Amino acid sequence: MTRTLYGYAFLDDFVLLYPVYALLFGDTGLSLGQISSLFALWSITGVLLEIPSGAWADAVSRRLLLWLGPLLTAVGFTLWVLIPSYGAFALGFVLWGAGGALGSGALEALVYEELDRLGAADDYARVTGRARAAGLVAVMAAMGLAGPVLALGGYPLVGAASVLTCLLTAAVATRFPEHRSTASGTESWYGTLRAVRRPDRPVTAALLLVAAVGSVWGALDEYTPLLVRDTGVPDWAGPYLLLLIWAGATAGSLLAGPGERLGAAGFAGLLAGSALALAAGALARAPTGLVLVAVAFGGFQLASVLADARLQRRIDDSARATVTSIAGLGTELATVAVFGAYAAIGSATGHSTAFAVFGVPYLVTAALVAGAGRVARRRSEPS
């Protein structure tokens, strides 16, 4: 299962369009506001489909959704390169968002339950950390290849390679083991959705933490090519500098195992330190500042894995994909808000200042986590 997971994670992110699609939009003539609206549409699609798709995953085969999603993404990428226009980009993002929603929740639930079946649920953070690292290595590989492929065949060749990767991802997804019987769940996705009760306080806290940690840097990710461009480097060198940022995120994923030993104070320190590194690196307005941005992305990635592991330990198998999708819904809603705020801040001040401003939410989250940790310690102390 882990070999299939790592292969799936790698192929799912080995998309040559990733490091250049913001440039494609800009070269097509789209404004920053239009580009941000596309990102928002992408997230809104996820918002609308996140929970229904999670309930569907709990009611039917999770493996089915994992191979169906990449096929929808392949159609979207095809539209982008055949008829590049705002309408085609928008439809492509709707299909991509739908494909992502199908896999969101389903993948985490399948992996956790297969590990639990083998008595290895405690390895979830380490395994998913490695899977995310495999995905980030794929992103870096795509960044390294995007420049030469773009120079060789332009956006059409980059798009064709991306479509092929989506098809391979779907093929690998069919190899996931799935021992869960769908008969053990409810009779329909709607029944599964209705079966989810209001989560208790620990689950609610874990849901909010997943959204708070993942939404901001997940949105900033989409603007990193523009941040790199603003440092003054030529477009052909941009993908190579983006490799630096994603190397940091990959390191963060690989530290998930040791990172589970962090308590509330350590987790808060991780978020605060990453926020300060993000602000300092962005405000440097130079290629050397991207080193600190890479450190920040590494910290945020590690925090995202740890927050997801914390959530998985607090929910049961009957609606695992649905509850995980609720976390995804919260993340998407916050991401939409970030896209809107970024469009306003970035248009008025530039990308470097916008990146620095979005370190503030992480400082707030760090303070809340540290405060909650202190309250929990006081309650555990004998009176």
Side-chain angles (χ1 to χ4, degrees), residues 7-298:
Y8 180 88
F10 181 89
L11 288 171
D12 195 41
D13 280 325
F14 185 59
V15 179
L16 269 62
L17 275 170
Y18 279 171
V20 299
Y21 65 67
L23 304 181
L24 169 62
F25 301 157
D27 291 342
T28 305
L30 273 59
S31 65
L32 178 59
Q34 288 176 311
I35 294 174
S36 293
S37 73
L38 290 174
F39 293 156
L41 178 62
W42 187 14
S43 292
I44 290 170
T45 302
V47 166
L48 295 176
L49 299 180
E50 188 76 47
I51 295 180
S53 67
W56 190 22
D58 280 326
V60 300
S61 168
R62 290 163 180 168
R63 181 172 55 201
L64 167 65
L65 273 62
L66 291 176
W67 65 256
L68 181 60
L71 297 182
L72 295 179
T73 304
V75 175
F77 288 162
T78 301
L79 291 173
W80 283 7
V81 296
L82 290 183
I83 45 175
S85 61
Y86 183 84
F89 297 148
L91 181 55
F93 267 127
V94 168
L95 292 170
W96 194 359
L102 291 180
S104 177
L107 181 62
E108 294 87 348
L110 186 150
V111 170
Y112 189 91
E113 290 172 10
E114 289 299 318
L115 288 173
D116 190 42
R117 185 182 65 85
L118 298 172
D122 289 342
D123 290 336
Y124 176 81
R126 178 177 58 83
V127 170
T128 55
R130 291 180 177 179
R132 294 194 189 195
L136 292 170
V137 168
V139 171
M140 291 189 292
M143 289 174 180
L145 288 173
V149 174
L150 183 63
L152 179 64
Y155 293 118
L157 184 58
V158 173
S162 301
V163 170
L164 176 60
T165 301
C166 291
L167 299 179
L168 291 174
T169 304
V172 170
T174 64
R175 299 182 59 84
F176 272 115
E178 187 175 25
H179 293 85
R180 168 183 173 272
S181 172
T182 57
S184 64
T186 54
E187 295 182 356
S188 68
W189 70 268
Y190 183 65
T192 303
L193 186 58
R194 292 188 61 188
V196 177
R197 299 293 187 261
R198 185 167 62 182
D200 58 25
R201 182 173 296 179
V203 174
T204 299
L207 286 169
L208 292 174
L209 185 63
V210 169
V213 171
S215 59
V216 178
W217 86 280
L220 294 181
D221 160 29
E222 306 304 328
Y223 298 100
T224 50
L226 301 175
L227 178 69
V228 169
R229 175 183 273 180
D230 275 6
T231 64
V233 300
D235 286 347
W236 64 265
Y240 300 103
L241 287 175
L242 288 172
L243 287 174
L244 177 65
I245 296 175
W246 291 108
T250 302
S253 291
L254 294 174
L255 291 172
E260 282 206 284
R261 295 194 290 267
L262 290 175
F267 191 89
L270 174 66
L271 289 178
S274 300
L276 294 175
L278 177 68
L283 291 175
R285 296 182 175 88
T288 53
L290 297 178
V291 174
L292 288 176
V293 176
V295 171
F297 272 44

